[in-house]
Amino acid sequence: MATKTEAGIPKPVLLDLHRRMVRIRHLEENLGRIASEGRVPGFLHLYVGEEAVAAGGCAALRDEDQITSTHRGHGHLVAKGGDFERMMAEFMGKATGYCKGKGGSMHVSDLDLGMLGANGIVGAGVPIAVGAAFANKYRGTDLVTMAFFGDGSTNIGAFHEAANMACALGLPLVFMCENNEYAEYTARERVMAITDVADRAVAYGMPGVVVDGMDVVAVYEAAVEAVERARRGEGPSMIEAKTYRFYDHAGVQGLGRTYRSDDEVERWRARDPIELFEAQLSKARVLSKAAAKKVHDEVAAEVLEAIEFAEQSPLPDPATDLLTDVYTETGR
Amino acid sequence: MATKTEAGIPKPVLLDLHRRMVRIRHLEENLGRIASEGRVPGFLHLYVGEEAVAAGGCAALRDEDQITSTHRGHGHLVAKGGDFERMMAEFMGKATGYCKGKGGSMHVSDLDLGMLGANGIVGAGVPIAVGAAFANKYRGTDLVTMAFFGDGSTNIGAFHEAANMACALGLPLVFMCENNEYAEYTARERVMAITDVADRAVAYGMPGVVVDGMDVVAVYEAAVEAVERARRGEGPSMIEAKTYRFYDHAGVQGLGRTYRSDDEVERWRARDPIELFEAQLSKARVLSKAAAKKVHDEVAAEVLEAIEFAEQSPLPDPATDLLTDVYTETGR
Amino acid sequence: MSDANGDSRRIITYNQAFNEALHGLLAEDPDIFVAGEDVGRYGGVFQSFAGLNKAFGDERVVDTPIAEQAIVGLGIGAAAMGLRPIVDLMFMDFVMVAMDQIANQAAKMKYMFGGKATLPLTITTTGGAGLGAAAQHSASLEAWLIHVPGLKVVFPSNPYDLKGLLVSCVRDDNPTIVTLHKAMLGSKGEVPEGLYEVPLGEAEVVREGSDATVVAIGRMVGFAEEAAETLAGEGIEIEIVDPRSLLPFDTATVVASAKKTNRIVVVHEAVRSGGIGAEIAARIQEEAFDYLDAPIGRVAAPFSPVPFSPALEREYLPDAADIADAVRATLDR
Amino acid sequence: MSDANGDSRRIITYNQAFNEALHGLLAEDPDIFVAGEDVGRYGGVFQSFAGLNKAFGDERVVDTPIAEQAIVGLGIGAAAMGLRPIVDLMFMDFVMVAMDQIANQAAKMKYMFGGKATLPLTITTTGGAGLGAAAQHSASLEAWLIHVPGLKVVFPSNPYDLKGLLVSCVRDDNPTIVTLHKAMLGSKGEVPEGLYEVPLGEAEVVREGSDATVVAIGRMVGFAEEAAETLAGEGIEIEIVDPRSLLPFDTATVVASAKKTNRIVVVHEAVRSGGIGAEIAARIQEEAFDYLDAPIGRVAAPFSPVPFSPALEREYLPDAADIADAVRATLDR
Ligand SMILES: Cc1ncc(C[n+]2csc(CCOP(=O)(O)OP(=O)(O)O)c2C)c(N)n1
Ligand SMILES: Cc1ncc(C[n+]2csc(CCOP(=O)(O)OP(=O)(O)O)c2C)c(N)n1
Ligand SMILES: [Mg+2]
Ligand SMILES: [Mg+2]
């Protein structure tokens, strides 16, 4: 699991990887902030710390490719090109949100971007990814679907059925596991007798690799290989990115929790994927500290505008919105 | 997958293995016969050809150990000590059957023998085996549970969840896979991108071995090793027995089917587990052809008596039996 | 076949009606495909899918692993991408294995996404008892399904409706579930050759009558017709309403009949407690309260799993005699 | 706490009542154990299981993988072996993932085995909306469960009943499902210290009245009591019946109240179509037809998934005002 260097990757790609991570980070940090001020209803599962996985994975995809997501889906949508305003509006339950306020954090989605939805049911997004990949193959396109899922979700049946079916049907699907070592408040080793989720790939007959999930280049290069393999019609593969969530399972508490030690959190925070990458980039003279700060400032401003937009946006109107969108009215 | 010799196994065990297989064979052949005469209602999934798996597996267990089964469960119950009369009566829907005629072939069971039931839902027996194994460990006993399941069932979620949970909790559970190369009318290679189901063991962190499922000694020795491991508290293991069903998925048609060639069937029938074993036993002077025939004759007679018993047995009476056994009336 | 007058009527089985609807639909629209266990090369365990794989190939008539969650998920994802999947769950009992994908995912996706998703997904399955298939292969779960906003649910009682409802479901842009009753697969009826639609949400008055209304679904419609003959011999004329589609449900037609006959019996095969008969009865008394001369009767299975032994199963299942008794009871009040 | 007269009453929350019942039950019977996701060392996502793991150890308060089918299967197998498992499904929505193990396996095993199996299995879960948890974390599925012979189903509306019903369920020799309403976890009530049972199948008349009967379940009982206050101000006295256990269901008490007040409104949080209100209404009109002066009204959620935005969810959920309106409507007839 050696740390990859950026060598050989075109500069625009490196800058793109950086920007995607920064966009996720600022959206999530600000979302956490306003949530702790009580301005965001419902449950909130922040992606902070895992940015390299969504960024590295989605950077290897085309706009027309699809992804499926989880309950921790904000980062995936941002990495796939999600619009801050419509996201913030959705998280606040506003009519201008991606889902008109009907979905919220756990169901935010943008089918136009090929983001087939965050999902409230652990593992349930993976069978849906199988269907999207099936459609790509059925239509004879070379489009690829990437399913994001957590370590804990690989213990549930839906994941298993989907992985086996994708391999049996030889579908263009990439299984991207975010192994952050915990399922909610329970450590991986207490609910799984294996260390590497990637070991599960052989059970289905697909290649499985482990990468440093705090190293965006490592994730990106593994993703490119898996995506190209899928495009060539050679079937699914699995990538396990070892990563960590800096905040709690839900909400914004990071430290002082009983189920994991502050030491552990600090050790992982010391390998912040954005800081690591910025150090690499400045050392390689690809992006100076100053230039990096400029990216952060731009993105931070964009997030604040998005929050403002969301705050100003109207709530959905029960009289007109509550019972619409249950069925599609058009027949064929 | 070298064929094991009987060397080193005490004669009584060898004779026991032989008798268990013969008992299954005669029960099933006769059941198939009377079924094709229209004397048995409902669906019937015969075990003929796979006798070595149930016999070898159950011979490695104690009477107090438990097994879970599948829709193809007759062989498992016989191997665990099932009574012919109560089985035949159950298959015919009679009040004297194991389940008072309420369960039939797909739900035949005898909790007193530790046979936790045939099961109509593919894969659903395996989580129940996890519960039985948990109880054995919880009570501090050294009892073991063996879950029988087919190759096709390893593609469904329930199997996966159970396998992972058993390994995570370190339960005394043996996973015994009957790989007969088909799930109903669909060949294994069309729905699974791997050849050996045993390759799935590594996904859970348990040992997995492949044995010749037509060689009862091979199955028995692998089962003994796995069972002893479980008794020692060292957790689950998986055994994949390569076997074949001589008859159709359901019913008694063997040849002339579209989904598999008669050649294939004949090749496998040439490795009839009972004939193979009897050849070994007579060569080793453990059981002469004559003595073997005697076993067959005894068992055949017992089966005919059981059919007679079942025929003579009363049907359940709707007035008194239909709505009983839905709930347990005793509280605590 | 031709009758004496030489005008030819096309009589085929319920199972054939299903099969020819699929042939027609796959020929009509390249976006339609079929996936499920043994539905491909083998043609399905009941041969309901016979010939499709040969005619349309492995790509469009797909054999899947035993994985009901992934089978429905396959349909959801493909439908979200604009295809029109038909996925099969061999027995309705297996709906339970895939319940999350059906009720939490397929049914809710459009709403959760603020209307953006369109899921032209059809799920086919076989329900009902009567074959000695015991407690895990005899399910009648329509009551669960009508409790799920986002789904459309049909339960055809004859070959004509089966073909027309299946066509409507596959052409509909929402997740639909078509249940065949496995004890009716060989039952015959007149069916036109080409594709046609039986509209979703339209009940049919199968028989006109003035003394009482029997609302029956699926296989129970045939039993109601038997009961009607018996009762006619006693001078009792019942009206029979077959809702055909359970969600959306044609309350208006049922209520109109209730207002006409003033006495109602609702019939289904599932157990009474929590059955669809409760919902139908609740709606009738809500909308026709002042017209009712007697309590709305329910004929349904008693409260137990489906027994294996035919001796018990026969008694367990509602039949024509039970329906006739219930009608007499409501008239005796 | 102590009131003016100095007699001390013990007031705790709904969640605490659940927790102390579990502490008492595990202390009482070594065959009882708890298993589920995060229920062990962490004490459960709502801390409902707090302290149990510390008190009884990892062996008896077990953290499991995310695997609802295996969690219920664990309970079934262990119960068949004579233990008394309490398995938790964090959110009622996840019942769908485990539906086969619950409804095909646990509920039917005894019957399929001719009575031999005894399954003292308790499933605990949290249902209901009101927390902005959206469409997949707000389920009310009791209507599905009462359609399953072999299960027992309770839905406590207050801390006292929660503790007593949980004790009864765990001591019962059948598969039982206890649903906590997650919006009520902090609600308070008087609860005795030791273990006691609230019998399964016994409804409670929460408030006596003569003008109309409101049958409300779970969280709706509190709303009905609010509505009663409002209506009392208008001179309308309603009787409130809380079934408490939904299967078995105390039809007699509900019917007696219907015969007394002649006007009934049934209230639940789940969507109306196929909801438990339909079954309750159907039974009342079957048994009290001649006593009814108006159609039985139903107050329930409209036909859509649970919306996320509190602006929509507030409107979506039945409340005291809806109940009061429904009572007035039935009286205006
Ligand atoms: C079927 C199901 N079971 C349980 C839950 C509750 N739950 C939500 S997130 C979560 C943990 C998921 O762990 P993992 O897959 O590793 O993702 P992570 O949260 O670590 O990103 C659980 C148990 C759920 N949403 N769905
Ligand atoms: C959940 C579920 N899906 C489908 C079926 C229908 N079915 C019964 S047996 C069977 C094939 C099982 O194959 P395998 O596990 O290999 O067992 P075998 O029949 O070969 O012994 C299928 C698909 C079922 N009973 N349950
Ligand atoms: Mg995790
Ligand atoms: Mg097989």
Side-chain angles (χ1 to χ4, degrees):
Chain A
M1 222 172 70
T3 299
K4 296 273 186 158
T5 74
E6 71 297 343
I9 299 178
K11 181 170 172 176
V13 173
L14 296 170
L15 297 180
D16 174 47
L17 288 168
H18 175 257
R19 181 173 285 270
R20 289 189 204 229
M21 289 200 290
V22 171
R23 289 182 68 80
I24 297 170
R25 175 66 57 92
H26 282 273
L27 178 94
E28 294 290 71
E29 292 284 3
N30 281 281
L31 183 56
R33 176 177 53 79
I34 61 174
S36 48
E37 294 164 8
R39 295 156 67 185
V40 183
F43 302 157
L44 216 53
H45 306 106
L46 298 179
Y47 198 72
V48 176
E50 309 187 10
E51 293 87 350
V53 188
C58 290
L61 296 173
R62 298 182 193 152
D63 290 351
E64 317 77 57
D65 293 329
Q66 311 90 27
I67 64 170
T68 61
S69 176
T70 70
H71 57 285
R72 197 176 302 287
H74 310 163
H76 307 133
L77 178 51
V78 171
K80 197 68 170 65
D83 174 70
F84 282 174
E85 294 190 340
R86 301 186 63 193
M87 288 180 76
M88 280 295 183
E90 187 59 34
F91 301 150
M92 292 194 197
K94 298 303 184 79
T96 54
Y98 264 118
C99 310
K100 304 181 187 167
K102 294 178 178 181
S105 164
M106 259 192 296
H107 307 295
V108 66
S109 61
D110 186 349
L111 297 188
D112 297 336
L113 292 175
M115 199 287 198
L116 303 184
N119 204 307
I121 304 299
V122 164
V126 193
I128 295 171
V130 170
F134 179 91
N136 292 336
K137 183 178 183 184
Y138 185 88
R139 291 205 166 111
T141 69
D142 67 348
L143 297 182
V144 172
T145 306
M146 183 176 289
F148 289 91
F149 54 93
D151 50 304
S153 76
T154 67
N155 297 327
I156 201 166
F159 159 80
H160 174 74
E161 295 187 8
N164 181 71
M165 188 180 285
C167 291
L169 301 180
L171 302 181
L173 182 47
V174 176
F175 291 85
M176 180 67 80
C177 179
E178 297 163 336
N179 182 353
N180 60 13
E181 299 297 330
Y182 289 88
E184 286 194 342
Y185 312 99
T186 300
R188 192 212 73 251
E189 67 267 17
R190 298 191 52 240
V191 291
M192 233 186 263
I194 57 172
T195 308
D196 298 331
V197 171
D199 289 349
R200 298 197 153 163
V202 355
Y204 311 108
M206 66 176 141
V209 298
V210 176
V211 299
D212 177 357
M214 305 314 247
D215 178 349
V216 71
V217 172
V219 175
Y220 173 72
E221 290 187 336
V224 167
E225 191 180 331
V227 167
E228 290 319 316
R229 183 169 186 278
R231 280 202 209 292
R232 289 193 305 270
E234 294 166 22
S237 17
M238 188 184 297
I239 299 168
E240 173 187 8
K242 304 277 194 186
T243 182
Y244 199 79
R245 54 172 163 71
F246 289 174
Y247 289 122
D248 209 348
H249 166 66
V252 295
Q253 204 178 337
L255 302 175
R257 307 292 283 122
T258 55
Y259 67 92
R260 65 181 192 181
S261 72
D262 289 357
D263 273 16
E264 179 180 294
V265 178
E266 295 303 354
R267 272 201 308 283
W268 280 96
R269 276 183 172 281
R271 302 200 60 245
D272 183 312
I274 296 176
E275 289 171 11
L276 281 183
F277 193 46
E278 289 180 347
Q280 277 185 42
L281 291 177
S282 73
K283 188 152 142 296
R285 296 199 150 54
V286 175
L287 184 72
S288 68
K289 294 239 174 302
K293 180 171 185 313
K294 194 156 157 306
V295 175
H296 283 272
D297 294 344
E298 280 169 27
V299 172
E302 191 182 340
V303 171
L304 294 182
E305 282 163 23
I307 293 173
E308 185 56 24
F309 168 84
E311 288 282 9
Q312 300 306 324
S313 292
L315 289 165
D317 176 357
T320 55
D321 304 338
L322 180 59
L323 298 181
T324 53
D325 302 322
V326 179
Y327 290 97
T328 301
E329 293 312 334
T330 68
R332 275 285 288 294
Chain B
M1 222 172 70
T3 299
K4 296 272 186 156
T5 74
E6 70 296 344
I9 299 179
K11 179 169 175 179
V13 173
L14 295 171
L15 296 180
D16 174 46
L17 288 169
H18 175 256
R19 180 172 286 271
R20 289 188 204 231
M21 288 201 290
V22 171
R23 289 182 67 80
I24 297 170
R25 177 66 56 93
H26 282 273
L27 179 93
E28 293 290 72
E29 291 285 2
N30 282 282
L31 183 55
R33 177 177 52 78
I34 62 174
S36 49
E37 294 164 6
R39 295 156 66 186
V40 184
F43 302 156
L44 215 53
H45 306 105
L46 298 180
Y47 198 73
V48 176
E50 308 186 10
E51 292 88 349
V53 188
C58 290
L61 296 173
R62 299 182 193 152
D63 289 350
E64 318 76 59
D65 293 328
Q66 311 90 26
I67 64 171
T68 61
S69 175
T70 68
H71 57 286
R72 197 175 304 286
H74 311 164
H76 306 134
L77 179 51
V78 171
K80 197 69 170 66
D83 173 73
F84 281 174
E85 293 190 341
R86 301 186 63 194
M87 288 181 76
M88 280 296 183
E90 188 58 36
F91 300 150
M92 292 194 194
K94 298 302 185 79
T96 54
Y98 263 120
C99 310
K100 304 181 188 167
K102 293 178 179 182
S105 165
M106 262 193 293
H107 306 295
V108 67
S109 61
D110 186 348
L111 297 188
D112 298 335
L113 293 175
M115 198 288 196
L116 302 184
N119 204 307
I121 304 298
V122 165
V126 194
I128 295 170
V130 170
F134 178 91
N136 291 336
K137 184 178 181 183
Y138 186 88
R139 292 203 165 118
T141 70
D142 67 348
L143 297 182
V144 172
T145 307
M146 184 176 288
F148 289 91
F149 54 93
D151 50 301
S153 77
T154 68
N155 297 325
I156 200 165
F159 159 79
H160 175 74
E161 294 187 9
N164 181 72
M165 187 179 286
C167 291
L169 301 182
L171 302 180
L173 182 48
V174 176
F175 291 84
M176 180 67 80
C177 179
E178 298 162 335
N179 182 353
N180 59 15
E181 299 296 331
Y182 290 87
E184 287 195 340
Y185 312 98
T186 301
R188 191 211 75 251
E189 68 266 18
R190 298 189 56 238
V191 290
M192 230 187 264
I194 56 171
T195 307
D196 298 331
V197 171
D199 289 350
R200 296 194 156 165
V202 53
Y204 310 109
M206 66 177 142
V209 298
V210 175
V211 300
D212 177 357
M214 305 315 243
D215 178 349
V216 71
V217 172
V219 175
Y220 173 72
E221 290 187 336
V224 167
E225 192 179 330
V227 167
E228 290 320 315
R229 183 169 185 278
R231 282 203 208 290
R232 290 192 305 268
E234 292 166 22
S237 21
M238 188 184 299
I239 299 167
E240 173 188 5
K242 306 277 194 185
T243 182
Y244 200 78
R245 55 171 162 72
F246 289 174
Y247 289 121
D248 209 351
H249 166 67
V252 294
Q253 203 177 339
L255 302 174
R257 308 292 284 124
T258 55
Y259 67 93
R260 65 181 194 183
S261 73
D262 290 356
D263 272 17
E264 179 181 293
V265 178
E266 295 304 354
R267 272 200 309 282
W268 279 96
R269 276 184 173 280
R271 302 200 58 246
D272 184 311
I274 296 176
E275 288 170 15
L276 282 183
F277 193 47
E278 288 180 349
Q280 274 185 44
L281 292 178
S282 75
K283 190 154 139 295
R285 298 201 149 53
V286 175
L287 184 73
S288 67
K289 295 240 172 302
K293 181 173 184 313
K294 194 155 158 305
V295 174
H296 282 272
D297 294 345
E298 279 168 30
V299 172
E302 191 183 338
V303 171
L304 294 183
E305 281 163 24
I307 293 173
E308 185 56 24
F309 169 84
E311 288 283 7
Q312 300 307 328
S313 292
L315 290 165
D317 175 357
T320 55
D321 304 339
L322 180 60
L323 297 180
T324 53
D325 302 322
V326 179
Y327 290 97
T328 301
E329 292 313 334
T330 69
R332 272 283 288 290
Chain C
M1 85 181 207
S2 287
D3 68 17
N5 321 330
D7 74 300
S8 75
R9 306 182 306 138
R10 211 168 146 274
I11 307 291
I12 62 174
T13 67
Y14 190 77
N15 204 25
Q16 287 165 335
F18 180 81
N19 184 266
E20 72 175 24
L22 291 177
H23 273 278
L25 287 162
L26 271 91
E28 168 185 85
D29 183 348
D31 286 344
I32 297 173
F33 71 93
V34 176
E37 294 155 17
D38 302 298
V39 301
R41 298 196 188 163
Y42 188 72
V45 289
F46 299 114
Q47 289 303 301
S48 313
F49 300 86
L52 290 168
N53 179 272
K54 204 170 187 40
F56 300 100
D58 285 339
E59 297 66 32
R60 293 188 65 195
V61 186
V62 184
D63 284 312
T64 67
I66 307 171
E68 282 75 14
Q69 295 189 72
I71 289 168
V72 176
L74 171 73
I76 295 170
M81 299 288 295
L83 296 180
R84 309 189 76 82
I86 299 170
V87 297
D88 183 62
L89 300 176
M90 195 184 293
F91 286 77
M92 194 176 204
D93 310 67
F94 312 156
V95 156
M96 296 192 196
V97 183
M99 208 63 201
D100 175 69
Q101 288 288 322
I102 295 169
N104 258 339
Q105 309 296 334
K108 294 174 180 173
M109 186 183 270
K110 184 181 194 68
Y111 191 80
M112 295 188 301
F113 291 3
K116 227 168 184 181
T118 298
L119 293 184
L121 166 66
T122 300
I123 298 171
T124 58
T125 189
T126 62
L131 303 184
Q136 292 177 339
H137 283 70
S138 305
S140 295
L141 298 174
E142 65 279 353
W144 285 6
L145 301 176
I146 64 156
H147 197 42
V148 182
L151 297 181
K152 294 189 178 183
V153 182
V154 303
F155 196 175
S157 67
N158 61 76
Y160 178 89
D161 286 348
L162 171 52
K163 184 174 177 181
L165 288 168
L166 179 59
V167 170
S168 296
C169 285
V170 173
R171 290 176 178 170
D172 192 273
D173 280 335
N174 298 282
T176 58
I177 302 187
V178 181
T179 303
L180 279 64
H181 195 297
K182 68 177 80 68
M184 290 176 65
L185 295 174
S187 65
K188 294 198 162 82
E190 183 172 6
V191 176
E193 198 139 12
L195 295 183
Y196 58 90
E197 298 185 12
V198 168
L200 304 182
E202 280 188 26
E204 186 187 16
V205 176
V206 174
R207 177 185 179 116
E208 305 235 341
S210 51
D211 299 328
T213 296
V214 171
V215 180
I217 69 171
R219 188 181 182 207
M220 296 299 122
V221 175
F223 292 158
E225 288 173 309
E226 271 181 54
E229 292 305 322
T230 314
L231 292 165
E234 303 166 19
I236 302 169
E237 286 306 329
I238 63 170
E239 181 148 297
I240 301 174
V241 181
D242 175 0
R244 300 194 295 190
S245 100
L246 307 180
L247 176 61
F249 187 86
D250 183 355
T251 307
T253 297
V254 170
V255 166
S257 181
K259 289 182 174 176
K260 171 182 166 191
T261 67
N262 316 116
R263 297 169 187 276
I264 299 87
V265 171
V266 184
V267 190
H268 56 74
E269 183 178 316
V271 297
R272 176 182 290 95
S273 171
I276 189 173
E279 179 62 33
I280 296 172
R283 291 187 191 186
I284 293 172
Q285 65 89 35
E286 275 160 12
E287 301 194 22
F289 184 78
D290 299 327
Y291 295 81
L292 297 179
D293 294 340
I296 299 156
R298 288 190 285 170
V299 175
F303 204 56
S304 84
V306 178
F308 161 67
S309 182
L312 297 175
E313 191 185 28
R314 257 191 310 279
E315 180 64 26
Y316 177 84
L317 293 175
D319 59 19
D322 299 325
I323 296 169
D325 289 344
V327 169
R328 293 186 197 102
T330 183
L331 287 165
D332 287 351
R333 245 180 138 277
Chain D
M1 87 186 203
S2 288
D3 66 16
N5 320 333
D7 74 301
S8 77
R9 305 184 308 139
R10 210 166 148 274
I11 306 292
I12 62 175
T13 67
Y14 191 76
N15 205 25
Q16 287 165 333
F18 179 80
N19 184 264
E20 71 175 23
L22 291 177
H23 272 278
L25 287 162
L26 272 94
E28 167 186 85
D29 183 348
D31 286 344
I32 297 173
F33 71 94
V34 176
E37 294 156 17
D38 302 299
V39 300
R41 298 196 188 164
Y42 188 72
V45 291
F46 299 114
Q47 289 303 300
S48 314
F49 299 86
L52 289 168
N53 180 271
K54 206 171 186 37
F56 300 100
D58 285 339
E59 296 65 33
R60 293 189 64 195
V61 187
V62 184
D63 283 313
T64 68
I66 306 171
E68 282 75 12
Q69 294 188 73
I71 289 168
V72 177
L74 172 73
I76 295 170
M81 300 287 297
L83 296 180
R84 309 188 77 81
I86 300 170
V87 298
D88 183 62
L89 300 176
M90 196 183 292
F91 286 77
M92 194 175 203
D93 311 69
F94 312 156
V95 156
M96 295 193 198
V97 183
M99 208 63 201
D100 175 69
Q101 289 288 323
I102 296 169
N104 259 338
Q105 310 296 333
K108 295 175 180 173
M109 185 183 271
K110 184 180 193 69
Y111 191 81
M112 294 189 300
F113 291 3
K116 227 166 184 185
T118 299
L119 293 183
L121 166 67
T122 300
I123 298 171
T124 59
T125 189
T126 62
L131 303 183
Q136 292 177 340
H137 283 69
S138 305
S140 295
L141 297 175
E142 65 280 353
W144 285 5
L145 301 176
I146 64 156
H147 197 40
V148 182
L151 297 181
K152 294 188 179 184
V153 182
V154 304
F155 196 174
S157 67
N158 61 77
Y160 177 89
D161 286 347
L162 170 51
K163 184 174 177 181
L165 288 168
L166 178 59
V167 171
S168 296
C169 284
V170 173
R171 290 177 179 169
D172 192 273
D173 281 333
N174 297 280
T176 58
I177 303 187
V178 181
T179 303
L180 279 64
H181 195 298
K182 68 177 82 69
M184 291 176 64
L185 295 174
S187 65
K188 294 198 161 78
E190 183 172 6
V191 176
E193 198 140 9
L195 296 183
Y196 57 90
E197 299 186 12
V198 168
L200 305 182
E202 280 189 24
E204 184 186 18
V205 177
V206 175
R207 177 184 178 116
E208 304 234 343
S210 51
D211 298 329
T213 296
V214 171
V215 180
I217 68 171
R219 188 182 181 206
M220 298 298 121
V221 174
F223 292 158
E225 288 172 309
E226 273 181 54
E229 292 305 323
T230 314
L231 292 165
E234 303 166 19
I236 302 170
E237 286 306 330
I238 62 170
E239 181 148 299
I240 302 174
V241 180
D242 176 359
R244 300 194 295 190
S245 102
L246 308 180
L247 175 60
F249 188 86
D250 183 357
T251 306
T253 297
V254 170
V255 167
S257 180
K259 288 181 175 178
K260 170 183 168 191
T261 68
N262 315 116
R263 296 167 188 275
I264 299 86
V265 171
V266 184
V267 191
H268 56 75
E269 183 179 316
V271 297
R272 175 181 290 96
S273 170
I276 189 172
E279 178 63 32
I280 296 171
R283 290 187 193 186
I284 292 171
Q285 64 91 35
E286 277 160 10
E287 301 193 20
F289 184 78
D290 298 328
Y291 295 81
L292 297 179
D293 293 341
I296 298 157
R298 288 189 285 169
V299 175
F303 205 57
S304 84
V306 178
F308 161 68
S309 182
L312 297 175
E313 192 185 31
R314 259 192 309 277
E315 180 64 24
Y316 177 85
L317 293 175
D319 58 18
D322 299 326
I323 297 169
D325 289 344
V327 169
R328 293 187 196 100
T330 185
L331 287 165
D332 286 352
R333 242 175 140 281

